[in-house]
Amino acid sequence: MKTNLKTIAATSATIFLLAVSTVFSQSQRKPASLGREEYIEVEKNVKLHVTDLGEGKPVVLIHGWPLSDAMYEYQYAELIQKGYRVIGITLRGFGLSDKPGGAYNYDVYADDIKVILDKLKIEGATIGGFSMGGATVIHYVAKYNAAHVSKLALFGAAAPLWTKRADFNYGFWTKEDVNGLIALNNTNRPQLFENFGKIFPANETSVSAGQAAWLGTIQAQASPYAMGESMKALRDTDLREDLKKIKIPTLILHGTQDKICSYELAEQMHKSIANSTLVPFEKSGHALFIEELPKFNAELIKFLK
């Protein structure tokens, strides 16, 4: 019995010393991370994935349909090296963000962005968006009077309208066309990816096979439901009134060979946003962020300065 008591006492002492040592070690350790959240809750049971890297003036980037913030991999690398803080937000339904049932539209996306920028206490940022993300950031700036941001950048933006109207005969798509895309999404999503992959670049060689495969892995993470609902927003939303509300400096980067969001759309945005600059990408289709990567990054950084 005495031996057992001695053994128990020795074991307890050892456990105590190990616990004290662990606490001491943790208290002495210098944190390796910047302490930023990778997943931020925007409403109950909905968390969005946020890439938050680097230190300096903030740049907020919103992806296009059906990608995620991972599409900006080669913008993040350049911006961090140049001394900027990059904040890539993946919209609900896409990438590593939560994929709830419910509404998917520019109002919801803008509200989610506002919650994240509120929580991060961001001020004076440049906010940029690609394709559907471009439409989203236009709506964000208009709806919230440019809260948290001082500049706007649009990359191949699907705005002011993605589908033609009686009073807007620009672009490639009709509402009936988009209805067909939604139907294909609901019956053969791999075919939808393949079809868009063919028209995403300017030509067969402007995006490498490796780059196409990389983008394909990002697309595959998207919720089919979110993809379909987002296409309804692309089909139905008219942002012409939103463009008139934008007063901050705006950069418009757009491929002249874009087969998804016609260059005509960029010209219409440029006409409607008072303080805007339009930079054509002559060698690019919709994938201008990789087709002319050095030019894309250079133009963006010049605008940030």
Side-chain angles (χ1 to χ4, degrees):
M1 183 68 177
K2 288 181 180 180
T3 303
N4 288 341
L5 289 174
K6 287 181 180 179
T7 302
I8 292 169
T11 302
S12 298
T14 301
I15 292 171
F16 175 76
L17 289 172
L18 285 171
V20 170
S21 175
T22 300
V23 171
F24 180 78
S25 175
Q26 289 176 344
S27 67
Q28 295 299 305
R29 174 178 176 171
K30 182 180 178 181
S33 79
L34 295 174
R36 300 173 186 169
E37 293 180 81
E38 190 174 357
Y39 294 90
I40 297 179
E41 189 172 59
V42 291
E43 64 180 63
K44 186 177 180 181
N45 297 325
V46 181
K47 289 186 177 182
L48 302 192
H49 179 262
V50 179
T51 296
D52 190 347
L53 303 170
E55 297 181 83
K57 192 170 182 179
V59 182
V60 180
L61 297 174
I62 308 299
H63 63 89
W65 176 97
L67 297 164
S68 77
D69 82 89
M71 66 163 281
Y72 291 114
E73 178 175 341
Y74 305 111
Q75 282 67 53
Y76 294 154
E78 181 84 5
L79 290 167
I80 293 166
Q81 290 175 11
K82 292 293 192 297
Y84 293 94
R85 177 183 178 182
V86 292
I87 301 166
I89 300 171
T90 292
L91 302 172
R92 63 174 65 199
F94 298 92
L96 299 177
S97 288
D98 284 349
K99 300 169 177 65
Y104 284 83
N105 55 54
Y106 301 154
D107 250 351
V108 172
Y109 298 149
D111 292 346
D112 287 348
I113 293 168
K114 179 65 161 52
V115 170
I116 289 173
L117 298 186
D118 284 347
K119 287 189 174 183
L120 295 179
K121 296 180 171 59
I122 297 300
E123 295 300 335
T126 295
I127 190 167
F130 168 70
S131 196
M132 184 184 76
T136 296
V137 296
I138 286 170
H139 188 59
Y140 171 82
V141 170
K143 181 174 183 177
Y144 288 109
N145 193 27
H148 303 290
V149 304
S150 58
K151 292 182 179 181
L152 172 65
L154 304 170
F155 321 128
L161 296 94
W162 197 50
T163 51
K164 296 180 179 183
R165 305 287 195 278
D167 61 344
F168 190 84
N169 192 32
Y170 302 102
F172 302 118
W173 308 90
T174 65
K175 288 190 174 185
E176 291 71 26
D177 292 332
V178 182
N179 289 339
L181 297 176
I182 294 170
L184 188 58
N185 178 72
N186 295 338
T187 57
N188 191 346
R189 195 165 67 126
Q191 187 64 56
L192 179 64
F193 287 146
E194 183 180 337
N195 293 352
F196 265 84
K198 291 175 181 176
I199 61 174
F200 199 65
N203 55 62
E204 293 180 358
T205 60
S206 61
V207 171
S208 71
Q211 290 169 326
W214 163 64
L215 291 171
T217 62
I218 299 172
Q219 293 174 338
Q221 294 177 316
S223 153
Y225 174 78
M227 285 177 57
E229 293 302 299
S230 295
M231 270 193 280
K232 294 176 185 177
L234 281 160
R235 179 192 66 194
D236 298 336
T237 310
D238 184 345
L239 297 174
R240 283 179 287 186
E241 290 303 312
D242 280 0
L243 293 183
K244 297 175 184 177
K245 298 175 184 177
I246 296 173
K247 307 301 180 186
I248 57 177
T250 301
L251 174 67
I252 302 169
L253 307 181
H254 213 105
T256 60
Q257 301 180 62
D258 196 324
K259 303 179 187 71
I260 294 175
C261 294
S262 166
Y263 189 74
E264 294 175 314
L265 300 185
E267 293 172 330
Q268 292 302 307
M269 287 185 283
H270 182 41
K271 289 178 182 178
S272 299
I273 301 174
N275 190 11
S276 65
T277 301
L278 172 58
V279 180
F281 279 60
E282 305 288 352
K283 300 176 183 178
S284 291
H286 199 49
L288 71 165
F289 62 99
I290 50 174
E291 288 177 289
E292 293 184 73
L293 175 62
K295 179 179 177 178
F296 185 97
N297 288 354
E299 290 290 348
L300 179 57
I301 289 168
K302 182 170 72 174
F303 179 64
L304 295 176
K305 292 180 179 178

